[in-house]
Amino acid sequence: MDKITSEIMGAKKIAIAGHIRPDGDCIGSCTALSLYLNQIKKEFKLDQIDVYLENFGNEYDILSHTKEIKHSYETDESYDLFISLDCGSMDRLGNSRKFFDSAQKTINIDHHISNSKFADINHVVPTASSTCEVLYSIMDDELISKEIAEALYLGIIHDTGVFKHSNTSEYTMQVAGRLISKGINFSVLIDETFYAKTYMQNQILGRCLMESILVLNKKVAVASMNRKMLDFYGASSGDLDGIIDQLRVTKGAEVAVFIYEIQFHEFRVSLRSNGAINVNKIAVYFGGGGHIKAAGCTMNGTVHDVINNLTPHIEAQLKELNLLY
Ligand SMILES: [Mn+2]
């Protein structure tokens, strides 16, 4: 912890970035840290704090200062310090990788069990629900404003599925309690960023569920979206949030699989487990990663290739646990 503080103290220009296709925890943690650093800017003699993230949905504009997040990477800026948040590996930094490469020092703050500890200083807490929870634990509670609390709370609710997933700990709830004490409107944050769906998002959810299939003795629920369908709806990755969660609660299913085509014959694969199956192991095998119950990877081929390549790995674990028949 002291290391992180001393690196921040020694830096003038700081870049903050998260993973590609940013989610709530990624956006929340980047926003919270930049607000926090701005708060201590004078005292720490920081000159410039820039946040870089790929485009994300406007539901996150409910947070303060998301408008100041940079989405363009075409700049010659280089930084004294680069802080990576919620990102398990260097390649998941996407376009902000160049700022990582050119920075004097790098810090990696995360909670993914698969984190490859790619920075100079790595603070990875796999038991934490979210990167926002990790950030809270290293921040001075007294310096956490209402705006910072909103950003941290948003990240926690997104990664815990509103305190539903098993990554929610006693500490998570204590942190959430502290954040609530800052006067945030948590009901609005939860509804508008987590549950609210556009008509198009609802249509896609409905279609994915309608066309989903059960395989491996109904233990695995699978849904997919190809490029043509995504283009038809004008959907981006953020419009697909929640589909995997609905698949996971299919009665009898141990694993949920949701795949969508990023570009021709290249699929983003999301995996969720109800506890018995370690989906991180499967995602890591295919070059991805995440958590035991929630992981993802990128795979190539047709939809059928992807499913056919994936299922033997789920089958093997189901067999090992005598869960298949
Ligand atoms: Mn996260």
Side-chain angles (χ1 to χ4, degrees):
M1 231 54 302
D2 295 341
K3 268 196 204 160
I4 293 179
T5 315
S6 66
E7 286 309 332
I8 289 169
M9 281 180 86
K12 289 251 172 280
K13 283 175 72 181
I14 300 178
I16 299 169
H19 59 76
I20 48 172
R21 297 185 291 277
D23 59 9
D25 187 30
C26 186
I27 297 160
S29 57
C30 288
T31 304
L33 184 61
S34 82
L35 290 171
Y36 189 84
L37 292 181
N38 269 299
Q39 198 132 296
I40 59 171
K41 201 173 168 179
K42 273 214 179 95
E43 187 194 336
F44 278 56
K45 299 192 175 66
L46 309 173
D47 282 344
Q48 188 179 337
I49 300 140
D50 291 332
V51 183
Y52 292 91
L53 285 175
E54 285 182 359
N55 288 321
F56 47 78
N58 56 14
E59 68 269 27
Y60 294 107
D61 294 347
I62 194 167
L63 296 180
S64 305
H65 302 287
T66 47
K67 286 268 183 291
E68 284 151 41
I69 294 175
K70 294 177 191 301
H71 304 293
S72 165
Y73 302 83
E74 278 164 40
T75 162
D76 296 328
E77 291 275 13
S78 68
Y79 295 88
D80 304 324
L81 177 64
F82 180 97
I83 306 177
S84 167
L85 296 175
D86 200 39
C87 185
S89 61
M90 228 188 279
D91 58 302
R92 298 246 308 147
L93 284 171
N95 287 325
S96 56
R97 171 73 190 273
K98 69 171 189 182
F99 304 122
F100 176 91
D101 288 338
S102 62
Q104 300 284 322
K105 275 274 172 159
T106 56
I107 296 176
N108 160 22
I109 300 172
D110 187 30
H111 70 122
H112 291 92
I113 196 169
S114 58
N115 191 291
S116 61
K117 315 241 169 106
F118 52 89
D120 298 326
I121 298 167
N122 300 284
H123 185 58
V124 181
V125 188
T127 51
S129 67
S130 50
T131 299
C132 282
E133 184 180 316
V134 181
L135 272 186
Y136 175 87
S137 71
I138 64 175
M139 285 175 172
D140 181 347
D141 183 286
E142 279 179 20
L143 292 176
I144 295 177
S145 63
K146 185 182 166 199
E147 287 71 30
I148 296 170
E150 284 168 344
L152 292 175
Y153 193 87
L154 183 137
I156 293 173
I157 58 165
H158 277 250
D159 266 20
T160 60
V162 193
F163 309 112
K164 178 180 70 179
H165 302 326
S166 61
N167 59 0
T168 310
S169 67
E170 185 181 345
Y171 181 66
T172 311
M173 301 309 277
Q174 283 165 355
V175 172
R178 285 299 308 154
L179 299 175
I180 283 176
S181 79
K182 306 281 181 181
I184 62 171
N185 191 338
F186 50 88
S187 308
V188 170
L189 274 175
I190 293 170
D191 267 350
E192 292 197 6
T193 69
F194 193 82
Y195 290 113
K197 285 197 183 291
T198 62
Y199 179 65
M200 175 262 274
Q201 289 165 345
N202 270 336
Q203 279 191 307
I204 292 175
L205 172 66
R207 181 155 179 184
C208 282
L209 296 176
M210 197 167 69
E211 294 174 1
S212 67
I213 55 167
L214 293 173
V215 296
L216 295 171
N217 200 27
K218 301 181 183 171
K219 292 294 195 303
V220 182
V222 184
S224 66
M225 264 265 155
N226 61 28
R227 202 58 256 169
K228 219 172 126 189
M229 273 157 72
L230 289 166
D231 291 342
F232 172 78
Y233 290 106
S236 58
S237 65
D239 296 316
L240 309 173
D241 290 349
I243 295 172
I244 187 82
D245 299 310
Q246 195 56 45
L247 285 172
R248 185 184 63 81
V249 293
T250 309
K251 268 238 183 288
E254 290 291 345
V255 177
V257 179
F258 176 61
I259 65 176
Y260 69 90
E261 201 168 20
I262 307 166
Q263 53 187 357
F264 184 69
H265 280 189
E266 185 183 329
F267 286 85
R268 180 67 196 163
V269 179
S270 295
L271 301 161
R272 294 290 182 277
S273 162
N274 278 322
I277 305 299
N278 179 346
V279 290
N280 179 59
K281 200 175 149 189
I282 299 167
V284 166
Y285 179 87
F286 290 106
H291 314 279
I292 290 166
K293 290 183 175 184
C297 56
T298 303
M299 291 171 73
N300 298 302
T302 64
V303 181
H304 297 283
D305 292 336
V306 171
I307 296 171
N308 288 338
N309 287 329
L310 207 56
T311 45
H313 293 265
I314 304 172
E315 187 176 16
Q317 286 197 44
L318 285 169
K319 271 190 180 153
E320 213 171 290
L321 296 162
N322 280 321
L323 284 168
L324 201 47
Y325 298 106

